[in-house]
Amino acid sequence: MKKLTLCVITLATIMACKNEEKPKEETPMAITYPETKRLDSTRTYFGEDVKDDFGWLEDDRSPDTEAWVIAQNKVTYNYLDQIPYREALKQRLEKLWNYEKVGAPFKEGNNYYYYKNDGLQNHYVIYKKGTDNDEVFLDPNTFSKDGTTSLSGVSFTEDGTLAAYSISEGGSDWRKVLIMNTETRKITEDTIIDVKFSGTSWKGNDGFYYSSYDKPVGSELSAKTDQHKVYYHKLGTPQSEDKIIFGATPEEKHRYIGAYVTKDQNFLMLSASVSTSGNKLFIKNLNEPNSVFRPIIDNVESDTYLVENIGDKLYLKTNLNAPNGKIVVVDAKNPTPENWTDFIPETENVLSVSKGGNYFFAEYMVDAVSKVMQYNYDGKLIREVKLPGIGSSGTISGKKEDKELYYSFTNYNTPSSTYIYNVETGESTQYWTPEIDFKSDDYESKQVFYTSKDGTKIPMIITYKKGTELNGKNPTILYGYGGFNISLTPSFKITNSVWLEQGGIYVVANLRGGGEYGKAWHDAGTQQKKQNVFDDFIAAAEYLKDKKYTSTDYLAISGRSNGGLLVGATMTQRPDLMKVALPGVGVLDMLRYHTFTAGAGWAYDYGTAEDNKEMFEYLKNYSPVHNVKPNTQYPATMVTTGDHDDRVVPAHSFKFAAELQANQTGTNPTLIRIDVNAGHGAGKPVSMQIQEWADIYGFTLYNMGYKVLPQQELKK
């Protein structure tokens, strides 16, 4: 067993201290980790035996695993309880979080709705706008006493009289769907259960399409789900009679299938994928009896989806032969690629598109910052939309007949505000801006470009308080993701504001594997090029230290999910690089990830250990669980996960934490913080988020040597 030391000091002593330098160590208190048993176990890959002594932690239904979770949390919370300013951080987070948040109105049928949170409500409430007073339409805070049941989506019929809304319990990806009469707000029939990775798309008022998997044998939180299917639910009939529309053929396996009806109700579109990148696209004419799905594109070498249709004229967004994306038009009667015509051609910047007010809005990422162009339905450029500043624009969208559309705007130091955009004049006016106890003008963001190991230029945005002295002593969090074509664009987070107030620097690196520069940028961080992502992250840390933003003793690295893998790989490759590591809900066992839930669908980014010997060896060489070395001093580490995470199962985090605790030398703590009745992150109640971030910031600052907060005390 390993032992660590922790300083015990009272809050009163801290707040009385006036010395901004790190104080001397105080009298320590010994903490003993629970011992994690090893069961002699190996798995064989291409003739090579690989030890998996902590594999028993994969069984989420085992009493031994449950006992391990309880024991680990006891140690973790005992440690966190001793951090003297943890409660003060929590109180400041609550204070900052407690402001009214209002979403943009959206029209369904004859009514307008909007999302609103009074401040510290666990979940946003949907309101219906009225002539005199607005009224609560749907309040997810009533779903459960502890806030762990959340709203995950709402779909209205075209006339707005019915709504199907889905709920998640304990953060699980498995959903339930309820059908509501929007006038009476009464539930109209039995709940649809066991829905996963799906929206609901209405066909008139008769029923809707949804997707799911067969219920797995064994644990529904970890068992493999591999064959997605589309169902049609006819109102007034039991779910047992729902018809399979697509996905029943075992020889044509698709892990992700989504079906959606066009606004004019003429076509059913269907997207089918075997991985998180690339899709087939099919179309079915709903006006023709016994019509079948016809392919628009019958392979998964590109990403293509329908943006709009006017009768048989289809507008498609695609990256086929256009890595940065373009919009094409084609006749629904002959929809295959050889008949496509460019509508908005590819540019040097990555395209996303929305529509509203009888216009298309092409949003481009220019070095991860938004630029929006407005086009009419003839493909003519009308204007560039003048945004309020440099940052991220939310989607400009609405009904075709609307003349005023809504969008949001934010960056790393500016809370999200909502604007009204006049489609004819091009003018934006502020609709709503938050009143928050944070002085945004005191902070600035700076974009830099640094050089990675192979010479590639990588963009990075650094946010800090104006006038910060670059002396190498600033507590700094470096955040990254680098995968799945996901782009990290500037956005304000309440949690970051508390870090910034303490003199902290917050840094986001736009690593390869993301989508900031299109398909080529994404592919440069996948499979046997995955090491590029870790090299990019390491180079970001070295840049920050070279430029005196921070130094090893004041640097933390952070990431979640695929970003948790990023942190795990970086800290095992370069344990000397940082003082604190914060891998959250991470993919950490790269030899086993594809055997859990829908993990096999991530193979486009990772490859699998079963593909071939070369791929197995590549994965094994960076898999965090398999690269924890004996007698190594790793940084202070707090692994975070949720016991109901059925996307990246908590076994990844359990096994990684067990390996670290077994091999760590020195006095740096290795903790695992396991949220109970929580999942991958979506739908987590505000109360749990606040406590988690107070723990993360407290742990980080304490292990950077701060026995007092850098600012001495928090605002009240």
Side-chain angles (χ1 to χ4, degrees):
M1 297 189 189
K2 307 287 183 182
K3 292 189 177 182
L4 297 173
T5 59
L6 176 65
C7 169
V8 182
I9 187 170
T10 66
L11 183 60
T13 303
I14 286 173
M15 296 309 178
C17 180
K18 300 299 181 183
N19 181 10
E20 292 198 15
E21 295 298 319
K22 294 184 184 181
K24 295 179 181 179
E25 293 290 336
E26 306 292 335
T27 304
M29 181 184 72
I31 294 180
T32 304
Y33 285 121
E35 188 150 7
T36 304
K37 66 183 178 182
R38 286 187 179 273
L39 299 180
D40 189 15
S41 177
T42 60
R43 301 181 190 277
T44 303
Y45 301 85
F46 300 98
E48 180 178 337
D49 290 339
V50 179
K51 292 178 69 63
D52 192 15
D53 294 351
F54 297 129
W56 62 272
L57 288 167
E58 293 177 3
D59 186 355
D60 56 84
R61 299 182 299 173
S62 161
D64 286 350
T65 302
E66 181 181 6
W68 186 88
V69 168
I70 292 170
Q72 289 287 345
N73 267 346
K74 183 177 180 180
V75 168
T76 296
Y77 286 107
N78 184 56
Y79 182 99
L80 294 172
D81 285 345
Q82 309 309 311
I83 296 174
Y85 42 78
R86 172 176 170 238
E87 182 61 27
L89 283 166
K90 179 183 176 183
Q91 291 176 9
R92 181 56 183 156
L93 278 162
E94 288 176 341
K95 171 76 173 181
L96 274 173
W97 213 300
N98 193 15
Y99 70 93
E100 187 179 66
K101 308 162 192 73
V102 180
F106 56 96
K107 190 176 183 182
E108 301 291 348
N110 296 320
N111 296 303
Y112 279 93
Y113 300 85
Y114 61 93
Y115 287 83
K116 177 184 173 183
N117 190 305
D118 289 342
L120 292 175
Q121 289 177 290
N122 278 324
H123 304 287
Y124 278 74
V125 178
I126 302 179
Y127 286 81
K128 179 193 287 187
K129 292 183 74 69
T131 305
D132 298 318
N133 297 301
D134 299 345
E135 59 182 26
V136 172
F137 174 71
L138 188 61
D139 184 0
N141 297 291
T142 64
F143 292 172
S144 61
K145 289 183 179 180
D146 61 0
T148 57
T149 300
S150 61
L151 178 69
S152 53
V154 184
S155 174
F156 292 81
T157 55
E158 191 61 32
D159 65 6
T161 59
L162 295 171
Y165 68 91
S166 57
I167 63 172
S168 167
E169 296 171 319
S172 172
D173 281 332
W174 290 101
R175 310 289 199 237
K176 295 178 179 178
V177 178
L178 296 89
I179 297 91
M180 174 197 290
N181 179 302
T182 60
E183 291 303 314
T184 64
R185 297 203 294 278
K186 300 294 185 183
I187 302 302
T188 61
E189 58 180 82
D190 292 341
T191 299
I192 306 299
I193 63 172
D194 298 334
V195 177
K196 189 170 185 179
F197 296 153
S198 175
T200 50
S201 184
W202 287 91
K203 181 183 178 184
N205 286 38
D206 298 328
F208 55 84
Y209 298 93
Y210 67 94
S211 305
S212 195
Y213 304 88
D214 294 334
K215 201 67 178 288
V217 177
S219 169
E220 75 172 49
L221 294 178
S222 60
K224 190 172 185 177
T225 50
D226 214 27
Q227 171 71 334
H228 221 197
K229 300 176 183 179
V230 173
Y231 295 84
Y232 176 72
H233 175 71
K234 183 176 175 58
L235 295 190
T237 65
Q239 185 178 3
S240 60
E241 295 180 9
D242 290 356
K243 295 181 179 180
I244 298 177
I245 304 301
F246 192 92
T249 309
E251 59 268 21
E252 190 176 18
K253 185 177 291 185
H254 298 95
R255 296 189 178 94
Y256 309 105
I257 309 176
Y260 49 101
V261 180
T262 56
K263 181 179 172 62
D264 60 13
Q265 300 285 299
N266 288 335
F267 299 107
L268 177 63
M269 308 298 297
L270 189 142
S271 174
S273 306
V274 295
S275 191
T276 50
S277 290
N279 70 290
K280 301 175 185 177
L281 187 65
F282 301 91
I283 186 169
K284 176 183 172 73
N285 192 323
L286 294 175
N287 297 317
E288 296 178 0
N290 303 316
S291 64
V292 297
F293 284 107
R294 293 184 296 116
I296 294 176
I297 189 164
D298 62 358
N299 60 71
V300 294
E301 301 306 311
S302 62
D303 299 278
T304 303
Y305 64 88
L306 180 73
V307 177
E308 172 71 296
N309 75 295
I310 301 177
D312 285 350
K313 187 176 184 179
L314 309 179
Y315 295 80
L316 306 172
K317 160 70 168 47
T318 185
N319 62 7
L320 179 66
N321 301 319
N324 291 336
K326 65 180 180 178
I327 301 176
V328 299
V329 293
V330 70
D331 192 300
K333 297 183 182 66
N334 298 288
T336 49
E338 65 269 19
N339 300 308
W340 294 358
T341 301
D342 283 2
F343 178 69
I344 298 179
E346 182 189 23
T347 72
E348 63 181 356
N349 297 309
V350 179
L351 168 70
S352 60
V353 65
S354 60
K355 64 185 189 297
N358 210 30
Y359 292 97
F360 290 100
F361 294 90
E363 180 181 343
Y364 295 96
M365 274 189 295
V366 183
D367 296 329
V369 173
S370 293
K371 179 179 181 180
V372 183
M373 313 300 285
Q374 179 178 348
Y375 291 85
N376 67 17
Y377 272 57
D378 295 323
K380 179 184 176 182
L381 176 63
I382 303 302
R383 64 175 65 89
E384 179 180 349
V385 177
K386 186 177 181 181
L387 298 175
I390 297 174
S392 300
S393 164
T395 301
I396 304 177
S397 64
K399 303 290 186 182
K400 195 169 184 179
E401 61 272 16
D402 293 342
K403 296 304 176 186
E404 291 186 332
L405 308 177
Y406 295 87
Y407 71 93
S408 61
F409 183 82
T410 184
N411 55 37
Y412 286 118
N413 59 293
T414 306
S416 180
S417 295
T418 304
Y419 293 82
I420 302 174
Y421 180 73
N422 186 302
V423 298
E424 302 302 337
T425 67
E427 293 181 356
S428 291
T429 55
Q430 201 163 62
Y431 171 76
W432 178 83
T433 187
E435 295 182 4
I436 181 172
D437 184 26
F438 178 73
K439 296 180 179 179
S440 297
D441 291 342
D442 290 348
Y443 301 86
E444 61 182 323
S445 291
K446 176 183 179 182
Q447 187 174 57
V448 301
F449 292 81
Y450 65 91
T451 304
S452 190
K453 182 178 180 179
D454 64 357
T456 302
K457 294 292 184 182
I458 312 294
M460 177 165 68
I461 296 181
I462 308 170
T463 304
Y464 50 88
K465 191 168 188 177
K466 293 175 181 177
T468 295
E469 183 183 356
L470 303 186
N471 58 8
K473 296 183 179 181
N474 301 301
T476 299
I477 291 178
L478 171 61
Y479 179 85
Y481 188 80
F484 295 90
N485 201 37
I486 290 174
S487 303
L488 300 184
T489 56
S491 63
F492 179 83
K493 292 182 174 61
I494 301 168
T495 53
N496 291 344
S497 61
V498 173
W499 180 257
L500 294 171
E501 283 183 341
Q502 298 312 305
I505 296 177
Y506 182 72
V507 185
V508 176
N510 297 107
L511 315 172
R512 281 175 285 184
E516 289 86 352
Y517 295 105
K519 185 173 174 58
W521 192 255
H522 173 208
D523 288 347
T526 60
Q527 297 196 23
Q528 293 188 42
K529 297 178 182 177
K530 189 66 179 177
Q531 184 60 41
N532 286 337
V533 185
F534 314 139
D535 290 342
D536 292 353
F537 203 50
I538 291 167
E542 299 287 16
Y543 176 94
L544 293 169
K545 293 194 284 187
D546 289 344
K547 299 299 182 182
K548 302 297 183 184
Y549 285 97
T550 191
S551 57
T552 298
D553 284 345
Y554 298 90
L555 176 63
I557 60 171
S558 174
R560 294 177 58 81
S561 195
N562 176 73
L565 163 62
L566 172 68
V567 172
T570 301
M571 65 179 285
T572 50
Q573 291 182 18
R574 287 289 307 278
D576 61 310
L577 190 68
M578 74 297 294
K579 182 63 178 177
V580 177
L582 302 166
V585 292
V587 187
L588 297 162
D589 184 342
M590 299 309 297
L591 302 186
R592 296 275 295 153
Y593 81 86
H594 61 291
T595 65
F596 305 114
T597 63
W602 312 335
Y604 183 94
D605 265 58
Y606 298 145
T608 77
E610 297 172 0
D611 290 346
N612 52 62
K613 183 176 176 62
E614 186 180 25
M615 192 71 248
F616 153 68
E617 290 175 344
Y618 191 89
L619 289 166
K620 180 173 175 286
N621 284 339
Y622 77 77
S623 175
V625 165
H626 300 92
N627 283 278
V628 179
K629 304 293 192 297
N631 303 316
T632 302
Q633 181 164 309
Y634 289 99
T637 303
M638 186 161 72
V639 181
T640 54
T641 189
D643 68 344
H644 276 60
D645 190 342
D646 51 2
R647 191 171 308 177
V648 180
V649 295
H652 286 276
S653 295
F654 294 173
K655 292 164 74 171
F656 187 53
E659 289 286 357
L660 286 171
Q661 289 178 359
N663 291 285
Q664 172 77 291
T665 61
T667 58
N668 288 334
T670 301
L671 304 176
I672 180 167
R673 183 188 184 279
I674 306 159
D675 268 328
V676 177
N677 208 21
H680 198 59
K684 182 181 287 189
V686 164
S687 55
M688 291 178 71
Q689 293 183 59
I690 288 173
Q691 186 61 68
E692 179 179 21
W693 282 103
D695 292 348
I696 288 171
Y697 288 150
F699 177 86
T700 300
L701 288 169
Y702 191 85
N703 281 285
M704 287 178 176
Y706 290 102
K707 304 304 181 290
V708 298
L709 290 171
Q711 277 195 324
Q712 307 306 318
E713 62 181 338
L714 291 164
K715 298 177 184 179
K716 301 299 182 188

